[in-house]
Amino acid sequence: MDRLATTMPNGKSSFHYQDLTSPLAQVGLVSGFGSDEVEQFHNHYAAVNPWIPRTMLVPVGRGMTGESIFPREELAKTEFYNDWLKRQTGCETAIGVTILRDSSRTFILSTCTSSTDPVLNHEAAELYTQLSPHLRRAVDFIRRGEFATGERQTGQALFDAIGAGLIHVSETGRIRSMNDRARRMIEHGEPVRLAMSGRIAITDPRAAETLQFLLSRQGVQVEPYLATLTGADGSAHRLTLVRLTSDPMTEFLNGPTVAVIIEPIAGVDEPRSERLQANYRLTPKEARIAAAIASGLSLREIADNDGVSYETVRSHVKNIYGKMEVSSQASLVARLLR
């Protein structure tokens, strides 16, 4: 970026991402711009930049001057030019190239300059055309790069330590990274497996549908998706799906990523269930719910496993509280674990 900025008079370069559905721009790398200039462009002037809407019509990979996108005489009348480009940066125009594009988003390398020499600016645009395939390969390299950074590798080790599987799934449904526990789970095919296409497949249809939604660009998640899955061998697992948050530029390059967390759930302790019936006059159903709580299942997971409503389980739990003379789930668990 620094080398690029020096190729033009008063050159100031940026590598930025623009979504036409949003008034904000995400500026990733800059050279020559001050922090105030970048912040004001991000928060306001990107929305009134007359070049941005027209970049959707510019061929990807072709270097362009500002004048070839929007007439200079019209640019000089705009708020963008008078209050930001000219006044704040001291520049007159820009040269740039679109590296990537989808239906509404562009990823642009550009340099603002004080040059009004059409020959010099045209030559600079040709340089950007020559740079474009190399930049595209660099972006593709980043997108294919090793996803498991040191921080994520540490997280994988922690999940291994507690016996839980952790899988990071890419937008295409393929695995970016996973810990050893998840690898062994996939080898056994429960509750997740690899399809012939190489994509991850979850045995539960609703969970599989949720994963596909979260992997889409529109799959905004408010809270983690939780489910309890039972394998063909009767084993139970708690499944959690979480869409990882990242800045818009990273997500544009790498696409959405969903963490799939798989935790084995211990089965209900039948001897404990029988003791609860005998000692506290619980019904068989109440005893099984109490034993399931002691095994670490949530009320919603118990409801899903038994095929009943959450409110039904809550009603049983209230009866259990009365018979065992406790007033909270914490005190219930404490008594159950004695």
Side-chain angles (χ1 to χ4, degrees):
M1 295 296 292
D2 291 340
R3 287 283 301 278
L4 197 62
T6 62
T7 62
M8 297 299 293
N10 191 31
K12 299 183 177 186
S13 298
S14 67
F15 208 27
H16 62 276
Y17 155 88
Q18 182 74 39
D19 188 337
L20 293 182
T21 64
S22 169
L24 304 181
Q26 301 295 332
V27 183
L29 302 172
V30 297
S31 177
F33 287 105
S35 58
D36 288 345
E37 295 167 356
V38 172
E39 182 177 358
Q40 291 193 40
F41 178 81
H42 169 84
N43 291 329
H44 175 67
Y45 290 102
V48 296
N49 181 348
W51 287 322
I52 292 299
R54 299 197 178 193
T55 58
M56 298 300 293
L57 305 175
V58 173
V60 173
R62 181 183 298 177
M64 306 289 286
T65 64
E67 288 74 20
S68 62
I69 299 175
F70 192 78
R72 179 168 179 78
E73 58 271 19
E74 295 299 321
L75 177 71
K77 301 174 185 178
T78 64
E79 174 191 3
F80 171 78
Y81 172 83
N82 288 287
D83 292 350
W84 188 79
L85 185 65
K86 177 72 172 178
R87 179 178 298 175
Q88 294 192 40
T89 73
C91 294
E92 295 289 340
T93 189
I95 294 89
V97 61
T98 297
I99 305 300
L100 294 171
R101 177 191 293 141
D102 64 13
S103 59
S104 66
R105 293 171 289 196
T106 56
F107 202 59
I108 303 167
L109 175 68
S110 65
T111 297
C112 292
T113 176
S114 58
S115 170
T116 56
D117 183 342
V119 175
L120 178 63
N121 294 352
H122 178 74
E123 291 175 350
E126 289 299 313
L127 173 63
Y128 279 61
T129 300
Q130 296 172 28
L131 286 173
S132 177
H134 303 288
L135 293 169
R136 178 58 186 262
R137 282 195 293 273
V139 168
D140 288 341
F141 176 80
I142 293 170
R143 297 171 93 170
R144 295 194 304 269
E146 176 56 49
F147 184 74
T149 62
E151 181 178 344
R152 286 196 174 92
Q153 290 172 343
T154 300
Q156 290 178 2
L158 290 174
F159 276 86
D160 275 324
I162 63 173
L166 173 63
I167 306 171
H168 289 113
V169 184
S170 72
E171 182 178 13
T172 62
R174 289 179 166 82
I175 294 174
R176 290 192 190 276
S177 65
M178 60 180 166
N179 66 348
D180 292 337
R181 180 68 174 179
R183 189 172 289 106
R184 291 194 295 271
M185 288 177 173
I186 287 176
E187 289 173 356
H188 288 88
E190 295 289 352
V192 296
R193 59 183 178 83
L194 282 183
M196 294 294 292
S197 63
R199 293 180 172 86
I200 189 172
I202 300 177
T203 55
D204 180 76
R206 184 178 178 186
E209 183 179 346
T210 301
L211 175 62
Q212 289 305 310
F213 171 71
L214 293 177
L215 288 174
S216 70
R217 298 270 178 169
Q218 292 74 40
V220 178
Q221 183 177 24
V222 177
E223 58 185 28
Y225 171 83
L226 302 173
T228 302
L229 308 182
T230 303
D233 60 355
S235 61
H237 295 83
R238 180 185 292 109
L239 178 78
T240 306
L241 303 178
V242 182
R243 177 159 168 163
L244 303 184
T245 58
S246 59
D247 63 89
M249 189 172 292
T250 299
E251 185 158 307
F252 179 77
L253 285 173
N254 292 315
T257 299
V258 173
V260 179
I261 304 168
I262 311 160
E263 305 168 78
I265 300 174
V268 173
D269 187 339
E270 293 298 340
R272 172 184 282 164
S273 177
E274 293 172 1
R275 289 196 301 272
L276 290 172
Q277 292 181 58
N279 295 339
Y280 297 101
R281 296 179 292 105
L282 300 183
T283 66
K285 185 67 173 179
E286 291 168 351
R288 283 189 58 81
I289 290 175
I293 291 173
S295 298
L297 272 67
S298 69
L299 301 190
R300 196 165 297 280
E301 289 169 333
I302 295 170
D304 290 342
N305 286 344
D306 289 353
V308 298
S309 71
Y310 175 74
E311 291 303 322
T312 297
V313 175
R314 284 192 62 190
S315 178
H316 284 301
V317 170
K318 289 179 181 178
N319 292 336
I320 294 169
Y321 283 179
K323 293 179 181 180
M324 297 188 68
E325 298 181 347
V326 296
S327 58
S328 68
Q329 191 166 326
S331 55
L332 172 63
V333 171
R335 176 159 294 187
L336 291 171
L337 293 179
R338 286 178 182 173

